[in-house]
Amino acid sequence: MRNSWDPIAEMRATNRALKRQMMRDLDVMSRRQLLRRGGTLVAGASAASILFKAGIPLHASAQEETPPLPEYGEIPENLMGSGEVRVQSWGGAFQDAQREAYFQPFQELTGITVIESEGPDPSQIKAMVDTGNVEQDVVQMDRADVIFLLQQGDYWEPIDYSLFDVDNIAEYHRFEYSVDMLPYATVIGYRTDAFPEGPAGQADFWNTEAFPGPRTTSGGTGGVTPFLEAAVVAAGTPMDAIYPIDLDAAFASLGALRPDVVRFWEAGAQPAQMLTDNEAVMAHSWNGRTHAIMQEGAPVDVQWNEAQLATDVWAIPKGAANAENAQKFAAFITLPVSQARLSYLIPYGSVNAASAELMTPEQLATLPTSPEYLEKMWVRDIDWWVENLETVLNTWNEWILS
Amino acid sequence: MATLTTEMAAAPREAQSARFAALRRREQWRYLFLLAPALVFLTAFYGYPVASMLMRAFYDPSWGGQNFAPLVEASSTVEVLGLSLPMNVYLRVFWITLQIALVTTVCTLLLGYPVAYALSSISPGRANLLMMLVLIPFWTSILVRSYAWMVLLGQEGIINEALTAAGAIENPIRLLNTRFAVYLGMVHILLPFMILPLYAVMRGIDRNLMRAAGNLGAPPAAVFRRIFLPLSLPGIAAGCLLVFILSLGFYITPQLLGGQRDVMVSMLIQQQVDLLKWGFGSALALVLLVLALVIYLVFTRLLGVERVFGSARA
């Protein structure tokens, strides 16, 4: 049954827009407050301002130390075009960095105008394709969401790899309906004033006797998933035997930590804010966001051991008006220079093997894709999650209220 | 003159009342005409979208009542007054939601009543000025106010810092991410919805009644209990109804301020929408709507619609 117009999608889009506007207002407000009160509210205001900055690594301070961005040379002829491409990413200073790293160069070099929006949402994609009113040409997503929608029907355009730098993009980064574009890690962030030594891995995250204090880890609402992988690793499962996850063991392990979890976070900005404000002394947090608060001066450090590597993808909604330009856009962004430029601005990894040549060894060492870190991490198994997401969330709902 | 009176008197009674009835009908039609623009607007932009969203509960993913099945499936039982009732996670979330709404309503009433009383007792000019203090927070966005509470209640927030500095506590106490924080935030946000109807009703109460009672020897407590309180009842009813029903749908505030177990129906619905189970999400929304309507009907039936909303014009 297909409706000509979908109120749920409409409502969600409106809510998101409203929330973004509020966040902006709040940002401005908290900055003003900070100025007026001359810092007495520093702790407080930071709670508010970090929430959106955390996203959202601030590259201004990083730029002082880093060399200028690598420049584009000749770009492949088949990426040239005309018209426009409508792109949806995650907003804030993160999208600002994307704009500087590759949106603007794409527009200048290919002649295709980039029109940006924020806040990709699988349920919105579903509504748009169902109603034949596709407002985005290419969206940045978790691949689990792409597959999840595929199971519901024909929602995505296949990726045209004839345009891509396939020699340098490993096969495990290429899929029929999406292409990897941003590797990131879920690390253990901790307060250095609480633990100068820091935890060695997930077992220490769970060891509340040796490392006392409130924790935060991801929950099952707000579009995120509970960190079951860390739970089983903490309980002694080796990293290469995580999948398939034993749900009973994982939730039992989470249950042991539960009394010390001050809150299960629902958005990536929350753990960063909670570390900054000392709401939690240890957090499962995304590496880019944690890096951002460290740069802002929060007494926080990161343990890469037993972290999780995951990757965001570009995907093209079925029936997108500028699907061809979207293919070129995705191909451009996975070029070595594009990937390297973003890593210069934010410590997120690259899916293009040739990017490494454009970066210094010191820079590479800070990325989640550096060999040194890679061997300490496991890779999130998207297929397992697609298969088990509903079971996990239903179990989660029962568990959280028990 | 005389002829006219005679004529009117002579006219058959039924014909006269029929004419009046026709006149009244025409008048009512005219009022309906005034309602038309708002009615058309609401039907097109509110009624239709809400109805088509709720209809999803019956056809997504297939026709039938399967979306309501999980709500009545019992995964455990709960003892209430010796009766063993079916219980599951969804019912529990509804129960938590009702609990939060109830406590919020009672707290706003206890805090709002004295404020409304004071505002209605001073001169209108001064009352308007003070009313601004009630209204300014009312005009600030819910999200901003919820964040403000996070700033106040945090481990390194102003309250904990002040208490530590004053030596009242040694280690910061947990205020944020608790049910208490949810109540605090929701009461703060919903207080104006309680004060405004209370104030409207209290302004309309004739203070001479109380003076008369005092003159006749009633002590102040009796004057309040036997005269003012009963007369302000419609305001209490309207305020409580408004606050309770608004509380049922709260999302942002409990999400930001609440702890692990403070899950409200709205969060459950959001989770289902993300899971692309829109049919079940709609079913949850429908149940919440029916719940609100039932509460509304019970309330107005017990007190009378006229008493709840009618006397605001007094």
Side-chain angles (χ1 to χ4, degrees):
Chain A
M1 179 112 189
R2 290 187 169 190
N3 263 359
S4 59
W5 176 64
D6 205 293
I8 292 185
E10 222 25 56
M11 190 183 74
R12 280 181 52 85
T14 316
N15 270 345
R16 267 156 206 270
L18 203 66
K19 214 160 145 184
R20 272 198 298 279
Q21 186 54 48
M22 286 172 175
M23 300 278 249
R24 271 187 213 119
D25 294 348
L26 187 64
D27 193 20
V28 172
M29 210 181 69
S30 64
R31 267 186 222 144
R32 276 194 208 133
Q33 201 176 42
L34 199 66
L35 290 174
R36 205 178 305 137
R37 303 275 173 97
T40 49
L41 277 175
V42 172
S46 66
S49 59
I50 289 296
L51 262 162
F52 13 85
K53 280 191 213 145
I56 324 182
L58 298 173
H59 52 274
S61 50
Q63 267 179 339
E64 289 161 18
E65 305 133 35
T66 49
L69 299 179
E71 287 301 324
Y72 286 92
E74 285 283 295
I75 64 153
E77 191 60 34
N78 56 10
L79 297 186
M80 298 297 189
S82 61
E84 60 184 36
V85 61
R86 295 164 299 176
V87 181
Q88 199 165 47
S89 180
W90 293 99
F94 169 69
Q95 196 160 324
D96 293 343
Q98 283 187 309
R99 192 173 308 121
E100 187 179 348
Y102 39 60
F103 291 174
Q104 271 171 1
F106 176 76
Q107 182 164 316
E108 281 157 24
L109 295 170
T110 64
I112 299 167
T113 309
V114 176
I115 296 167
E116 292 179 46
S117 58
E118 297 171 8
D121 176 3
S123 51
Q124 199 187 21
I125 302 286
K126 177 174 152 64
M128 289 192 308
V129 177
D130 280 352
T131 57
N133 181 24
V134 183
E135 286 166 15
Q136 267 87 43
D137 297 315
V138 58
V139 289
Q140 180 178 335
M141 287 230 159
D142 187 318
R143 195 165 64 88
D145 288 331
V146 176
I147 302 175
F148 211 55
L149 261 180
L150 267 181
Q151 290 178 339
Q152 306 245 328
D154 194 12
Y155 284 100
W156 305 104
E157 297 280 351
I159 302 293
D160 176 9
Y161 284 104
S162 69
L163 298 167
F164 282 69
D165 183 20
V166 283
D167 294 341
N168 291 314
I169 304 172
E171 207 170 336
Y172 59 81
H173 284 311
R174 291 183 263 136
F175 308 94
E176 190 175 357
Y177 293 98
S178 64
V179 57
D180 282 353
M181 48 75 67
L182 186 88
Y184 66 95
T186 309
V187 295
I188 299 173
Y190 61 93
R191 296 274 303 194
T192 47
D193 50 359
F195 314 118
E197 290 295 307
Q202 299 299 348
D204 284 349
F205 194 94
W206 257 252
N207 186 348
T208 49
E209 271 169 33
F211 298 90
R215 309 287 204 264
T216 183
T217 183
S218 55
T221 46
V224 297
T225 49
F227 203 3
L228 302 181
E229 290 90 343
V232 294
V233 166
T237 309
M239 283 199 287
D240 53 8
I242 292 174
Y243 301 99
I245 299 173
D246 179 346
L247 283 187
D248 291 338
F251 276 99
S253 176
L254 270 187
L257 184 68
R258 185 169 177 175
D260 292 279
V261 177
V262 48
R263 95 168 277 138
F264 289 97
W265 52 263
E266 284 137 345
Q270 278 174 334
Q273 173 256 320
M274 292 173 75
L275 280 174
T276 310
D277 292 345
N278 211 3
E279 292 293 324
V281 294
M282 234 189 258
H284 287 137
S285 178
W286 296 338
N287 76 293
R289 291 171 197 252
T290 325
H291 182 82
I293 57 169
M294 284 159 64
Q295 284 200 324
E296 286 202 332
V300 168
D301 208 349
V302 158
Q303 173 56 269
W304 286 87
N305 190 36
E306 295 179 336
Q308 173 179 267
L309 186 73
T311 309
D312 268 2
V313 297
W314 287 123
I316 303 171
K318 192 84 190 173
N322 307 300
E324 203 190 317
N325 285 346
Q327 303 273 10
K328 291 176 181 173
F329 178 84
F332 182 87
I333 277 153
T334 48
L335 287 175
V337 183
S338 304
Q339 292 280 306
R341 282 169 68 100
L342 191 77
S343 298
Y344 267 62
L345 300 172
I346 309 172
Y348 285 126
S350 165
V351 298
N352 192 307
S355 299
E357 294 159 23
L358 301 166
M359 309 185 81
T360 63
E362 293 77 44
Q363 277 179 315
L364 286 171
T366 65
L367 303 184
T369 41
S370 81
E372 187 208 342
Y373 291 153
L374 267 183
E375 64 183 31
K376 298 176 176 175
M377 294 193 278
W378 69 84
V379 180
R380 179 178 158 95
D381 185 341
I382 296 293
D383 297 321
W384 186 88
W385 275 101
V386 168
E387 193 132 319
N388 296 283
L389 183 62
E390 211 179 316
T391 321
V392 169
L393 292 189
N394 285 337
T395 315
W396 167 267
N397 283 343
E398 292 274 353
W399 180 83
I400 194 68
L401 294 176
S402 63
Chain B
M1 193 69 177
T3 17
L4 192 65
T5 332
T6 334
E7 223 173 277
M8 274 185 74
R13 251 194 129 66
E14 300 100 72
Q16 229 182 56
S17 64
R19 214 165 67 220
F20 276 130
L23 271 173
R24 204 159 61 227
R25 260 203 306 280
R26 204 185 304 158
E27 197 179 52
Q28 277 176 346
W29 274 109
R30 220 177 298 147
Y31 285 134
L32 206 63
F33 188 71
L34 289 177
L35 282 180
L39 214 60
V40 168
F41 178 83
L42 277 180
T43 312
F45 297 106
Y46 182 75
Y48 169 70
V50 169
S52 65
M53 180 199 74
L54 292 176
M55 276 304 288
R56 238 176 217 288
F58 300 101
Y59 70 72
D60 185 357
S62 60
W63 282 96
Q66 84 276 16
N67 279 323
F68 295 91
L71 290 172
V72 289
E73 244 167 52
S75 63
S76 61
T77 54
V78 64
E79 294 282 328
V80 179
L81 302 170
L83 282 170
S84 132
L85 298 173
M87 199 60 186
N88 62 41
V89 61
Y90 306 109
L91 294 178
R92 201 171 291 143
V93 172
F94 273 100
W95 173 237
I96 293 171
T97 309
L98 284 173
Q99 229 177 320
I100 291 178
L102 190 70
V103 174
T104 306
T105 310
V106 171
C107 292
T108 46
L109 179 62
L110 292 177
L111 286 172
Y113 198 89
V115 175
Y117 182 80
L119 285 176
S120 65
S121 303
I122 55 178
S123 74
R126 220 176 278 171
N128 279 345
L129 208 68
L130 287 176
M131 191 52 105
M132 290 300 286
L133 296 180
V134 176
L135 286 175
I136 286 170
F138 181 59
W139 291 329
T140 316
S141 101
I142 289 183
L143 191 70
V144 171
R145 281 187 283 166
S146 300
Y147 277 127
W149 279 112
M150 288 174 73
V151 168
L152 288 173
L153 299 174
Q155 290 287 292
E156 293 186 349
I158 293 160
I159 293 174
N160 266 323
E161 298 270 281
L163 286 175
T164 319
I169 49 169
E170 226 159 81
N171 293 313
I173 41 175
R174 175 141 304 287
L175 297 167
L176 192 60
N177 300 322
T178 59
R179 181 67 68 85
F180 169 73
V182 176
Y183 291 144
L184 210 56
M186 285 178 67
V187 167
H188 173 220
I189 286 162
L190 290 168
L191 207 47
F193 291 95
M194 183 62 87
I195 294 175
L196 291 173
L198 277 174
Y199 174 75
V201 169
M202 287 180 184
R203 264 276 169 229
I205 296 175
D206 189 348
R207 296 303 158 109
N208 286 329
L209 293 172
M210 297 166 76
R211 284 186 204 112
N215 269 347
L216 293 172
V223 172
F224 174 76
R225 190 168 47 82
R226 296 179 57 183
I227 298 179
F228 193 82
L229 188 65
L231 284 173
S232 68
L233 214 55
I236 297 179
C240 286
L241 195 63
L242 208 58
V243 169
F244 189 85
I245 288 178
L246 283 172
S247 304
L248 288 179
F250 255 56
Y251 176 73
I252 293 175
T253 309
Q255 179 102 327
L256 289 175
L257 304 178
Q260 288 183 17
R261 289 178 180 81
D262 303 324
V263 183
M264 291 186 79
V265 178
S266 51
M267 302 181 195
L268 206 56
I269 294 174
Q270 194 267 343
Q271 192 191 41
Q272 300 308 316
V273 173
D274 272 351
L275 269 174
L276 301 176
K277 285 169 70 185
W278 294 358
F280 185 50
S282 299
L284 290 171
L286 187 64
V287 172
L288 191 62
L289 182 66
V290 168
L291 197 68
L293 283 176
V294 166
I295 288 161
Y296 171 81
L297 287 176
V298 168
F299 228 83
T300 49
R301 182 57 60 88
L302 281 179
L303 291 155
V305 184
E306 275 300 308
R307 295 197 68 181
V308 177
F309 292 112
S311 58
R313 64 169 179 248

